[in-house]
Amino acid sequence: MCGIVAFTGTADARSFLLAGLARLEYRGYDSAGIALVQPQAASQEAGSAGGTGAVLEVVRRKGKVASLVEAVEKSGVAGTCGIGHTRWATHGVPSEENAHPHCDCSGRIAVVHNGIIENYAHLKVELIEKGHVFASQTDTEVVAHLVEENYEAHAGDFTEAVRATVAQLSGSFALAILHANHPDTIIVTRNDSPLVIGSYEGGAIAASDTPALIDKTREISYIRDRDLAVLHSDGSIEFFDPAGEPFTPAIYHIEWSLEQAEKGGYPDFMLKEISEQPRVIRDTIANRFDRKTCALQFDELPLTDEELADIDRIYVVACGTSYHAGLIGKDLIENWARIPVEVDVASEFRYGNPIISTNTLVIAISQSGETADTLEAVRLARRAGAHVIALTNVMGSRITQEAQTVLNIKANIEIAVAATKSFLAQVALLTLLGLYLAQERLLLTGAQVREIYGEMKQLPGQIEQILSDTAAIEAAADACAEAQTALFIGRGVGATTCYEGALKLKEISYLHAEAFSAGEIKHGPIALIDPDAATPVVAVATQSSTRDKMLANIEEMKARGARIVAVATEGDERIRELADHVIYIPPTRECLSPITASVPLQLFARFIALARGCDVDQPRNLAKSVTVE
Ligand code: M6R
């Protein structure tokens, strides 16, 4: 949901800002813009405003960062202090006038913002009454005008003006603010929106996410809600809490490298991330089983044996793909640990009335660790007394600061908007957690756990095998690429695997797709099968306790003219007689099948999206991190 960048230093700010925005483009790509402070007017670009001394130059464009880069090069603007933004529109249509940065009336203050200023309407009325003139439909613009007001009220003290402004805002925000009267300084702040801050020998920098900073520094800091960080061009940074008290934040080391944030020879991030899955599963499950004690280890979990035994209910809260991982986790935990599990979409959970006690365990799943609804669900659960486990890919993210326990999936940075490797890692970690809870509650023996863990160690090799020959997947995708709608069916964990398969397909190819439990299809959805269109039905029919039922369901679909694409277990010859396309995957036990069966579904979605000419990494209307409600 929008990416912001800020640079003040001794080098050219433009290259940092534009490269940073390109790396944050996964957060939104409706429009983009930068503002630079220049010692003297140097550009005719709309938005520049002069006065004495330094001036502010603003360049904005509708569309992706590439069009901004072109415009910036043409404009000739330059400077060593600047801010930038790539937008996912919330207030006001995607247009140049609504693109950030937004300025005050004097054109000397510029602001970029990620989030939503919830009280903007009221603030705007007040500011208009005071004579301020607005140039956009955004909520953000009020911030620039408020800083202008407060700057005057605080006799030109920029830091105090921003501090007073922040106190007037409600909602979520990460802000970077420039003032031409302070040409070497940028002030950044946040509330419920991500922001990382760092410095290096060339200056001080800040951004919505680490990929924008990684080529300058791997040592970063976070600030708490409503803190301010004042960035100076010599690389020094002053940190202030909301009361204006200075503090020194902790420094975190970024584990991954710039190469990992780049495509590395792959045509798109999605394929790169799908291809990384064998490594991701290997890392996520590594070192969890202690051969000496013949037991799984979850040292991160601080719960005592007694507390574990007392858990009487688990809630899983998450959104989108992470929610689907939770549905699979439910099946496994209930089967093995015999604890009732409810999986809730976080946006519903936070406004519901969940039954929570001190014996309730809440597992909040979020790849980014920044999803607004999931964070709010965590807060609600903690207030109600539950122990909250965050299962996330981003250490240091907001969720890691709010939950009592953090379990880290080892997917490393995921850039494609469509989650792939993080999903597989979430499912793998939930599988281990289910086994661990069963082990601790004495429902599985050490030998049983060891056997399943041993089979999990085969998963990376099995995924490699699927990735080594994708011809059948591509052929099935080619045959389905023109369809108007596609159905996905499965049973048990096969059905939940289908929910994720259908989401992948619709989000990147815009082909309407829905997933159903195969047993439900006769109760309505079967009406969607159009023999003239040979409606694709993707059936996950791997070896399982309900495989024969699946075959019967496939026959029913086939009889009504569907085009059947089956994901089946190697050696299953019967399915060849029923399906138009069979994608074979290596045999696994049923509880592990979501991990292997999801891989062909990811590739199927990608092949269809490419055949339909879609941008698989940056699908329309979406953004990687949904940091607003
Ligand atoms: O970062 P999170 O896991 O909290 O994100 C949740 C969803 O927004 C995310 O999974 C979304 O559904 C992806 N586009 C799925 O590919």
Side-chain angles (χ1 to χ4, degrees):
M1 308 268 102
C2 303
I4 68 170
V5 284
F7 176 99
T8 176
T10 48
D12 170 32
R14 271 186 328 178
S15 55
F16 174 86
L17 297 177
L18 295 175
L21 290 179
R23 288 197 210 114
L24 294 185
E25 206 168 25
Y26 69 86
R27 303 181 66 84
Y29 27 86
D30 294 334
S31 60
I34 61 169
L36 290 164
V37 181
Q38 296 196 158
Q40 318 150 9
S43 163
Q44 297 309 307
E45 184 69 23
S48 72
T52 52
V55 294
L56 208 57
E57 298 285 346
V58 177
V59 186
R60 306 181 296 184
R61 283 296 177 270
K62 184 171 179 231
K64 296 198 174 189
V65 172
S67 40
L68 175 70
V69 172
E70 221 175 90
V72 168
E73 272 160 18
K74 246 198 212 152
S75 73
V77 294
T80 56
C81 182
I83 55 178
H85 189 268
T86 178
R87 180 169 188 244
W88 187 87
T90 58
H91 293 63
V93 294
S95 66
E96 196 167 312
E97 75 173 5
N98 288 329
H100 299 213
H102 291 287
C103 292
D104 69 325
C105 298
S106 71
R108 296 189 65 73
I109 298 167
V111 174
V112 288
H113 168 219
N114 168 33
I116 292 178
I117 307 296
E118 284 170 4
N119 58 340
Y120 89 98
H122 159 77
L123 292 169
K124 191 168 174 175
V125 170
E126 280 184 1
L127 286 160
I128 290 172
E129 276 168 9
K130 287 180 181 159
H132 290 263
V133 178
F134 281 75
S136 78
Q137 301 154 324
T138 65
D139 53 331
T140 304
E141 196 183 338
V142 294
V143 180
H145 295 280
L146 282 176
V147 176
E148 182 183 13
E149 280 283 315
N150 288 317
Y151 189 76
E152 221 176 293
H154 288 87
D157 184 328
F158 186 22
T159 309
E160 279 308 303
V162 174
R163 201 160 74 82
T165 300
V166 168
Q168 290 171 276
L169 303 177
S170 57
S172 63
F173 48 84
L175 296 164
I177 307 170
L178 265 185
H179 197 310
N181 292 1
H182 305 264
D184 298 327
T185 304
I186 296 170
I187 302 184
V188 296
T189 182
R190 65 177 289 275
N191 187 54
D192 266 350
S193 285
L195 187 72
V196 290
I197 301 165
S199 65
Y200 74 111
E201 61 287 356
I205 48 191
S208 296
D209 199 0
T210 45
L213 309 188
I214 187 93
D215 60 341
K216 300 282 182 242
T217 182
R218 289 174 76 172
E219 312 303 320
I220 54 158
S221 299
Y222 299 92
I223 51 175
R224 292 154 306 189
D225 284 347
R226 296 178 188 270
D227 287 346
L228 301 191
V230 185
L231 316 185
H232 299 288
S233 59
D234 62 1
S236 63
I237 304 172
E238 295 172 278
F239 293 91
F240 299 99
D241 72 10
E245 287 301 315
F247 68 92
T248 307
I251 293 180
Y252 294 82
H253 179 71
I254 306 173
E255 297 293 341
W256 47 269
S257 63
L258 179 61
E259 294 70 55
Q260 285 168 304
E262 290 179 336
K263 285 186 195 156
Y266 286 90
D268 47 77
F269 280 110
M270 186 179 184
L271 183 61
K272 177 182 179 240
E273 289 160 6
I274 290 172
S275 306
E276 283 170 8
Q277 292 180 125
R279 195 274 307 152
V280 168
I281 296 297
R282 215 170 268 130
D283 290 356
T284 300
I285 67 175
N287 305 322
R288 285 285 178 191
F289 193 78
D290 183 343
R291 286 217 194 113
K292 272 193 221 134
T293 55
C294 195
L296 273 179
Q297 307 295 318
F298 263 89
D299 295 340
E300 308 94 315
L301 253 182
L303 300 179
T304 62
D305 291 352
E306 207 184 357
E307 286 168 329
L308 283 171
D310 285 347
I311 296 171
D312 58 11
R313 179 196 295 265
I314 295 178
Y315 278 106
V316 178
V317 289
C319 303
T321 290
S322 298
Y323 168 75
H324 294 150
L327 290 175
I328 294 168
K330 167 190 165 76
D331 270 24
L332 305 182
I333 294 170
E334 287 186 341
N335 267 330
W336 290 325
R338 311 304 297 159
I339 307 171
V341 181
E342 194 167 318
V343 190
D344 268 4
V345 172
S347 54
E348 292 296 326
F349 182 89
R350 64 180 287 192
Y351 292 114
N353 190 9
I355 303 162
I356 295 177
S357 74
T358 48
N359 292 335
T360 308
L361 182 67
V362 172
I363 305 173
I365 310 175
S366 175
Q367 184 284 129
S368 62
E370 300 289 351
T371 300
D373 285 322
T374 309
L375 288 171
E376 214 40 67
V378 166
R379 289 170 195 144
L380 183 153
R382 287 209 58 178
R383 280 196 303 273
H387 184 93
V388 179
I389 297 178
L391 204 142
T392 184
N393 194 27
V394 185
M395 294 308 280
S397 60
R398 190 65 206 214
I399 207 168
T400 65
Q401 292 154 29
E402 305 236 2
Q404 289 104 316
T405 298
V406 178
L407 298 180
N408 182 210
I409 58 165
K410 301 285 170 58
N412 275 346
I413 183 162
E414 186 176 68
I415 290 176
V417 166
T420 53
K421 61 177 181 171
S422 63
F423 172 71
L424 250 60
Q426 288 166 346
V427 174
L429 200 49
L430 286 166
T431 307
L432 291 174
L433 187 62
L435 288 173
Y436 175 76
L437 292 172
Q439 166 191 290
E440 297 303 296
R441 292 162 71 98
L442 307 178
L443 291 166
L444 285 178
T445 64
Q448 288 170 314
V449 171
R450 183 178 51 203
E451 194 183 328
I452 300 173
Y453 185 71
E455 288 180 34
M456 289 185 79
K457 289 177 106 176
Q458 309 299 315
L459 291 167
Q462 292 170 339
I463 299 169
E464 268 156 19
Q465 188 187 323
I466 296 167
L467 295 173
S468 69
D469 180 5
T470 58
I473 307 170
E474 190 166 7
D478 277 351
C480 302
E482 300 302 320
Q484 297 293 310
T485 192
L487 309 184
F488 285 65
I489 58 167
R491 282 174 179 261
V493 285
T496 37
T497 303
C498 284
Y499 295 149
E500 176 57 13
L503 175 64
K504 281 294 82 89
L505 183 57
K506 66 186 141 195
E507 74 180 329
I508 63 167
S509 75
Y510 321 140
L511 194 167
H512 174 248
E514 291 302 329
F516 304 95
S517 301
E520 268 298 292
I521 198 131
K522 293 201 268 294
H523 299 285
I526 199 166
L528 291 168
I529 293 174
D530 175 357
D532 296 332
T535 307
V537 173
V538 180
V540 172
T542 48
Q543 231 23 276
S544 73
S545 50
T546 52
R547 179 241 176 209
D548 291 347
K549 306 273 173 214
M550 270 305 296
L551 293 193
N553 294 133
I554 290 172
E555 296 223 39
E556 290 158 4
M557 307 297 110
K558 184 78 192 153
R560 279 152 184 91
R563 176 188 294 280
I564 307 292
V565 176
V567 177
T569 307
E570 275 168 7
D572 186 341
E573 288 306 318
R574 170 80 182 103
I575 206 131
R576 260 195 217 286
E577 296 161 23
L578 301 176
D580 299 275
H581 304 269
V582 184
I583 299 165
Y584 283 116
I585 61 172
T588 53
R589 66 169 70 213
E590 188 175 353
C591 60
L592 303 183
S593 63
I595 296 182
T596 44
S598 292
V599 178
L601 299 188
Q602 296 165 345
L603 290 165
F604 179 72
R606 178 180 172 276
F607 281 128
I608 291 190
L610 292 177
R612 291 163 74 101
C614 301
D615 179 339
V616 296
D617 283 343
Q618 295 178 346
R620 71 180 176 209
N621 303 338
L622 296 179
K624 182 79 180 159
S625 311
V626 184
T627 56
V628 293
E629 205 183 329

